[in-house]
Amino acid sequence: MTTEPLRRMPLRPFDRAAVGRLLATTAEEPLFHPTTALYRFFDGQLRLLYVGVTGQLCERWPKHRRKAEWWSAAEFVAVEHWRAMHLALDAERHAIRTELPLFNRRSRTAGA
């Protein structure tokens, strides 16, 4: 069993005002359906805002736009594609504990 993502997309500028499917670049979009992805959003100073996992990036990110208090600060995003959801969730928990994103609330403690 692997603990590395299948594909790691490079950090890129992020257009938080883009609509729906345009949140992904033209090159990324075909890779996002369906996929298990771990994503990290960063602000303009590359401070880690949020780490998340989803099976549907193009559906999850618009939900963040509507509800997440950090969305207006997001300027960069990095995405990793994982072979299985349980591996991505393990990687997410590890990232939250070790990278300390500013807005994640769950998985901060060892028992979460």
Side-chain angles (χ1 to χ4, degrees), residues 52-86:
V53 169
T54 187
Q56 297 291 331
L57 282 173
C58 291
E59 292 178 17
R60 181 64 179 131
W61 289 358
K63 290 178 184 175
H64 283 314
R65 180 200 326 243
R66 289 191 302 274
K67 297 181 178 183
E69 60 184 302
W70 51 263
W71 186 263
S72 63
E75 292 190 28
F76 294 92
V77 65
V79 178
E80 298 173 357
H81 298 270
W82 287 79
R83 185 175 319 281
M85 183 60 77
H86 73 279

Side-chain angles (χ1 to χ4, degrees), residues 48-51 69-70 73 100-106 108:
L48 182 59
L49 299 173
Y50 186 81
V51 177
E69 60 184 302
W70 51 263
L100 302 176
L102 298 173
F103 290 92
N104 283 87
R105 286 174 177 70
R106 65 186 177 108
R108 281 255 176 134

Side-chain angles (χ1 to χ4, degrees), residues 15-16 24 27 29 44-45 64 72 86-87 103 107:
D15 180 5
R16 65 182 165 271
E29 206 273 333
Q45 286 77 48
H64 283 314
S72 63
H86 73 279
L87 296 173
F103 290 92
S107 300

